[in-house]
Amino acid sequence: MSHQPHQRVDIPLGERSYPILIGPHLLGDDALLAEHIAARNLLIVTNETIAPLYLRPLEAALQDHRTASVVLPDGEQYKTLDTMSRIIDALVSERMNRDAAVVALGGGVIGDMAGFAAACYQRGIDYIQVPTTLLAQVDSSVGGKTAVNHPRAKNMIGAFHQPRCVIADTATLHTLPEREYRAGIAEIVKYGLIYDPVFFSWLEANVEPLLERVDAAVIHAVRRSCEIKAEVVGVDEREQGLRAILNLGHTFGHAIETASGYGNWLHGEAVAAGMVMAADLSERLGWLPGVDKERTVTLLRRFGLPVEAPRIGAERARELMGLDKKVLDGKLRLVLLRSLGKADVVSDYSGEAFAATMRTHFDAAA
Amino acid sequence: MSHQPHQRVDIPLGERSYPILIGPHLLGDDALLAEHIAARNLLIVTNETIAPLYLRPLEAALQDHRTASVVLPDGEQYKTLDTMSRIIDALVSERMNRDAAVVALGGGVIGDMAGFAAACYQRGIDYIQVPTTLLAQVDSSVGGKTAVNHPRAKNMIGAFHQPRCVIADTATLHTLPEREYRAGIAEIVKYGLIYDPVFFSWLEANVEPLLERVDAAVIHAVRRSCEIKAEVVGVDEREQGLRAILNLGHTFGHAIETASGYGNWLHGEAVAAGMVMAADLSERLGWLPGVDKERTVTLLRRFGLPVEAPRIGAERARELMGLDKKVLDGKLRLVLLRSLGKADVVSDYSGEAFAATMRTHFDAAA
C-alpha cells in the first residue's frame, strides 16, 4: 500500500515543528512512513491489546528500517516508572543509539510512557506517535506532554518532549469499543465549546456520521481538534496560562472520576458531565445564554455521553476538588464559558452560583 | 553569617541564564542564599556522607524557606532510577508544587540525580546546585546534564536541565579526601590543555597553593574552569560538536576505568593518564611539540596524578574503547591536541600512530 489519501496539520514549533497526518490505513502506508520517519533504527512500543491488531502491519510497512518492539501490559495502572524502565531496557538491549527513534503504537498511556522514555533515553531521542484511540488522536498528538504516574499522583513524573511526527490512522478507530470511542468524542466537543462555535455547529450537523465512524467526518473532527489544540498550545507551550482552557470540565470531572473509582467512569465521560456543570455555572453567572447550555447538553446526549454527574454529594465533591471545609470561601480557578466557543480561566466568580451548581449536580434530589 | 566575599561566573543561556557563585563558607551565607534562591519551598537532596557535615548549616542558612530533606546512600552504585524515584517520593510526600525547588547538596552523583528528579517532577521544577567536591564544582556546575545510570550503561537515562544557580562553597573542599581532591584537579588541567594556554601556565605556577587548597588559588581555578566550560558549552548546548573536546583523555580513560573495575581508578585519575595518551598521540602526529607533552606529564605528576596507564594490553583496551578486532582499520573519533591550549575532535589521524600510542601505554614492556 502506498500514499493513502490523508490530511495534514502542521504544528509550528520552530525547529521542533512536526506534521500530524490523518487518514485511514496510514500505518500500513510504507511510502508515507518512509517519507516521515527519518531514523533507521526504531523501537516500537505497544501493549498486549494493540499488538495482535497492528504491530505486524506496522512492522511490515517499516521493512526498510531496523525495528524491534516491546509489548507492555495494557492499562493505566501500568503507567509507572517501572514500566517505563522496561522501554529503556529494550533500547539498551537493542543497542539503540542517539539517532534511533521510539514509535508509540497505542492509546494515551502508551504515548505518554513511550514519549517519556524517548525524552530520557540518552537525554532525548526522537519519537513518533501512532495513536490508535480517538482520545489519543485528538489529545495526545499535540502539546508534547509525556509522563508516568506516581503511586500517589497522576502524571507526576514526565517531560515536555515533542514528537517528530504523528500518524493518526483513522482506520484503527474501527476496532475501538463503542464506549471508548464515544468518550473520545467528549474531548472533540470540548474543542468546539472552548474555541470554535463554527466547529460546534458542524458537530451538531454530523452526529450520525461521527457515530458511524465515517472516514470523512472522523478525519475532519480529528483535524480540527488538533488545529485548535495547536493554536491554544502554540501561544503557551510550557503551560502558563491560556493552555488551561483545555481543561474545561476537568475539575468537576476529576471529582467524578475519583469518587467513582478510576475506571468506572471513563475520563471522557467524566469530562462530558463536567462540561455540563461548567456550562451550568457559566449560565448562572449570566455569561452563557441558556439556549447554548441546552445545545451543549443536547449534543453530548446525542453522542451517548453522560450529562449528569453521579450524586456523590456536593460536600464530598468539594473536598475532591481540593476545597477543604475549613476554607469555605476558598475559590478554585475554573475554566468557564464566556460564550459558546470562548472559554476563560476565572477565579472571581460568585461563590453562591458555584455552590448552586455543586448542589444541583452532586446532591441527591430533595 | 552574611555575604561572604566570593566571585561570580554568569552562564548566559537567555531566559535560563544563571550565576555560579564561588567562595568559602557560601552555604552558610543566609543573605546570599536569600538573594539567589527564589523558591520558598525546597527539598534538599544529599547523601549519608555529606549530611552530617553540611545539611544542618545549610538548613540553618535557609531558615526563611520551608525546607525538607532526603538523605540517600553514598556512591555511584546508587545513581539509579530507583534512587531517583525516592527523591520524587519525597517531593510528593512533602506536597511540593511546581514552584518548589530541589537543592542538590553533594558531589556529581547527587547533582546528577537531584537534577534529573527536578527535570521530571511535574515535568520540570527548579533546582539549585551546592556542589561539595572539586570535580562537581568544575564539571557539573556547567552544562545542564543530569542523569542516572542504567545497569548496563552509565548516564543512559537523563535530561538537559539547567540549574537556577550554583553555590560552589570552596570551604567544603577542605573535608574532601586528598585523593579525591587531586582527581578533581585533573579536570582543571584539562581545561587548560583544551582551551587556554595562559591558564595552563597559571596552573604550573600555582601547584603548591592548589594542593594546599588556599582559597584564592582554588577560587581562581574553579572560576576559570567554569568559564571555559561555559564558553565551550555555550556554542553547543545540546552536544553536537565542539562540546566533545571536553572529553579529552576520556576515551583512553574509559578503557582504564573499565579494565580496572570501576572505583579502583577514580575518574579523574583515569582521565589524567588518558590525557597523557592523547598528548602522546598528538605528538606522534606532529601536532603537539614534544616539550608541551612533557609539560603536560610534569604538571599532572606534580599534582600527584597518575601519568601511566595500567598495562591492560592494547588489544583489550581497543575492545573496551569499542574497536572490535574485526574492524582493524576502524577509527574512533578522538579528542587530540593541535597545540597546548587547543583541542580538536578528529577521526582522520594515522592508524599507525594510534597503534603505537596504544602499544606504548597499554602493552607490558618487552
Side-chain angles (χ1 to χ4, degrees):
Chain A
M1 247 183 296
S2 77
H3 272 298
Q4 297 294 321
H6 60 270
Q7 298 211 20
R8 172 176 175 144
V9 177
D10 284 288
I11 306 298
L13 288 167
E15 60 182 19
R16 284 172 295 114
S17 298
Y18 66 91
I20 302 175
L21 309 167
I22 308 160
H25 307 298
L26 299 189
L27 73 73
D29 186 336
D30 47 8
L32 189 85
L33 300 183
E35 186 183 332
H36 289 282
I37 302 182
R40 303 313 305 156
N41 296 306
L42 304 172
L43 179 74
I44 304 172
V45 179
T46 189
N47 68 34
E48 288 165 351
T49 307
I50 298 298
L53 298 168
Y54 302 115
L55 180 54
R56 209 49 73 78
L58 180 61
E59 285 174 334
L62 289 167
Q63 58 193 347
D64 291 341
H65 297 70
R66 178 172 80 89
T67 61
S69 63
V70 55
V71 179
L72 304 173
D74 185 10
E76 175 91 19
Q77 70 270 37
Y78 299 105
K79 191 174 139 178
T80 61
L81 211 47
D82 268 358
T83 314
M84 186 281 261
S85 77
R86 289 185 48 190
I87 305 174
I88 301 279
D89 291 344
L91 287 162
V92 173
S93 327
E94 296 292 338
R95 295 173 167 276
M96 295 287 179
N97 288 324
R98 275 188 165 183
D99 56 359
V102 171
V103 179
L105 172 68
V109 171
I110 287 293
D112 279 4
M113 266 197 299
F116 184 44
C120 295
Y121 186 63
Q122 301 200 18
R123 298 196 188 89
I125 63 172
D126 285 353
Y127 83 114
I128 292 107
Q129 285 191 347
V130 187
T132 59
T133 68
L134 186 56
L135 181 59
Q137 291 186 358
V138 300
D139 187 37
S140 318
S141 298
V142 183
K145 282 189 183 182
T146 71
V148 297
N149 297 332
H150 184 269
R152 290 167 56 183
K154 288 180 76 172
N155 295 322
M156 198 47 73
I157 313 166
F160 286 94
H161 191 55
Q162 303 290 345
R164 279 286 159 193
C165 151
V166 177
I167 314 282
D169 182 339
T170 51
T172 62
L173 303 181
H174 291 289
T175 52
L176 208 58
E178 183 66 17
R179 192 175 158 201
E180 206 179 326
Y181 178 77
R182 290 178 185 227
I185 291 182
E187 297 276 349
I188 294 176
V189 172
K190 182 193 75 180
Y191 290 114
L193 277 172
I194 61 171
Y195 203 77
D196 186 349
V198 175
F199 182 49
F200 189 90
S201 301
W202 180 89
L203 289 169
E204 291 178 316
N206 287 275
V207 169
E208 287 71 25
L210 277 173
L211 284 177
E212 287 159 18
R213 311 187 194 187
V214 172
D215 276 336
V218 173
I219 290 172
H220 179 77
V222 171
R223 179 198 175 129
R224 188 66 196 126
S225 297
C226 289
E227 284 172 349
I228 291 172
K229 185 163 182 187
E231 283 182 46
V232 172
V233 169
V235 296
D236 183 23
E237 197 186 334
R238 305 293 289 205
E239 202 168 31
Q240 308 301 309
L242 179 65
R243 188 162 177 164
I245 68 169
L246 296 168
N247 292 326
L248 178 73
H250 283 60
T251 304
F252 296 113
H254 174 74
I256 296 171
E257 276 183 280
T258 311
S260 315
Y262 280 103
N264 291 318
W265 280 62
L266 296 180
H267 178 69
E269 293 170 341
V271 166
M275 290 192 297
V276 171
M277 292 186 65
D280 179 79
L281 178 50
S282 305
E283 184 198 5
R284 286 175 199 272
L285 296 169
W287 298 344
L288 188 72
V291 61
D292 286 338
K293 186 190 88 173
E294 282 315 310
R295 285 172 68 190
T296 303
V297 172
T298 303
L299 182 60
L300 291 168
R301 191 177 274 141
R302 289 176 65 202
F303 280 125
L305 287 161
V307 295
E308 294 198 17
R311 301 293 162 169
I312 59 176
E315 203 47 61
R316 172 95 199 283
R318 285 175 65 93
E319 284 166 30
L320 294 172
M321 291 161 77
L323 278 173
D324 208 83
K325 279 183 209 178
K326 283 159 278 175
V327 265
L328 277 177
D329 56 353
K331 288 217 185 133
L332 277 178
R333 277 158 50 94
L334 284 175
V335 184
L336 297 176
L337 296 171
R338 294 284 182 191
S339 64
L340 196 152
K342 181 154 177 24
D344 212 347
V345 184
V346 276
S347 49
D348 62 343
Y349 49 83
S350 143
E352 277 177 41
F354 174 72
T357 293
M358 294 288 281
R359 279 195 308 271
T360 306
H361 291 80
F362 283 131
D363 280 347
Chain B
M1 248 184 297
S2 77
H3 272 298
Q4 297 294 321
H6 61 271
Q7 299 211 18
R8 173 177 174 143
V9 178
D10 283 287
I11 306 298
L13 289 166
E15 62 182 19
R16 286 172 294 114
S17 298
Y18 66 91
I20 302 174
L21 309 168
I22 308 159
H25 307 298
L26 299 189
L27 73 72
D29 186 336
D30 47 8
L32 189 85
L33 299 182
E35 186 183 333
H36 289 282
I37 302 182
R40 302 313 306 157
N41 296 307
L42 304 172
L43 179 74
I44 303 171
V45 178
T46 188
N47 68 33
E48 288 166 351
T49 307
I50 298 297
L53 297 168
Y54 302 116
L55 180 55
R56 209 48 75 77
L58 179 60
E59 284 174 335
L62 290 167
Q63 60 192 345
D64 290 342
H65 298 70
R66 179 173 79 91
T67 61
S69 62
V70 54
V71 179
L72 303 173
D74 184 12
E76 176 91 19
Q77 70 269 36
Y78 298 106
K79 192 174 139 179
T80 61
L81 211 48
D82 269 357
T83 314
M84 187 280 262
S85 79
R86 289 185 48 189
I87 304 175
I88 303 279
D89 291 344
L91 287 162
V92 173
S93 326
E94 295 291 338
R95 297 174 166 275
M96 294 288 179
N97 288 324
R98 275 187 165 184
D99 56 359
V102 171
V103 178
L105 173 67
V109 169
I110 286 293
D112 279 5
M113 268 199 297
F116 184 44
C120 294
Y121 185 64
Q122 301 201 18
R123 299 193 187 92
I125 64 171
D126 286 352
Y127 82 115
I128 292 108
Q129 286 190 349
V130 186
T132 59
T133 67
L134 187 56
L135 181 59
Q137 292 187 357
V138 300
D139 187 37
S140 317
S141 298
V142 182
K145 283 189 181 180
T146 70
V148 297
N149 297 332
H150 184 272
R152 289 167 56 184
K154 288 181 75 172
N155 294 322
M156 199 45 75
I157 313 166
F160 286 94
H161 191 54
Q162 303 290 344
R164 279 287 157 192
C165 151
V166 178
I167 314 280
D169 183 339
T170 51
T172 62
L173 304 181
H174 290 290
T175 52
L176 209 57
E178 183 67 17
R179 192 175 158 201
E180 206 179 325
Y181 179 77
R182 290 178 185 225
I185 291 183
E187 297 277 348
I188 294 176
V189 172
K190 182 194 76 180
Y191 290 114
L193 277 171
I194 61 171
Y195 203 77
D196 186 348
V198 174
F199 183 48
F200 189 89
S201 300
W202 181 89
L203 288 169
E204 291 178 314
N206 287 274
V207 170
E208 288 71 25
L210 278 172
L211 284 177
E212 286 159 19
R213 312 187 194 186
V214 172
D215 276 337
V218 172
I219 291 173
H220 179 77
V222 171
R223 177 196 177 131
R224 188 66 197 127
S225 296
C226 290
E227 285 172 349
I228 292 171
K229 184 163 183 187
E231 284 182 44
V232 171
V233 170
V235 297
D236 183 23
E237 198 186 334
R238 304 294 289 205
E239 202 168 31
Q240 307 302 310
L242 178 66
R243 187 163 176 164
I245 68 169
L246 296 169
N247 292 326
L248 178 73
H250 283 59
T251 305
F252 296 112
H254 174 72
I256 296 171
E257 274 183 281
T258 312
S260 317
Y262 280 102
N264 291 316
W265 279 62
L266 295 181
H267 178 68
E269 292 170 341
V271 166
M275 290 193 296
V276 171
M277 292 186 66
D280 178 81
L281 177 50
S282 305
E283 184 196 4
R284 285 174 201 272
L285 296 168
W287 297 344
L288 188 72
V291 62
D292 285 338
K293 187 190 88 172
E294 281 314 310
R295 284 173 67 189
T296 304
V297 172
T298 301
L299 181 60
L300 292 169
R301 191 176 274 141
R302 288 176 66 200
F303 279 125
L305 287 161
V307 295
E308 294 197 20
R311 301 293 162 166
I312 59 176
E315 203 47 63
R316 172 93 199 284
R318 285 175 66 93
E319 284 166 31
L320 293 171
M321 290 160 77
L323 278 173
D324 209 81
K325 278 183 209 178
K326 284 159 277 176
V327 265
L328 276 178
D329 56 354
K331 289 221 182 129
L332 277 179
R333 277 160 48 94
L334 284 175
V335 184
L336 297 175
L337 296 170
R338 294 284 182 191
S339 64
L340 196 151
K342 183 158 178 20
D344 211 347
V345 185
V346 277
S347 48
D348 62 344
Y349 49 83
S350 143
E352 277 177 41
F354 174 71
T357 292
M358 294 289 280
R359 279 195 309 271
T360 305
H361 291 79
F362 283 132
D363 281 346

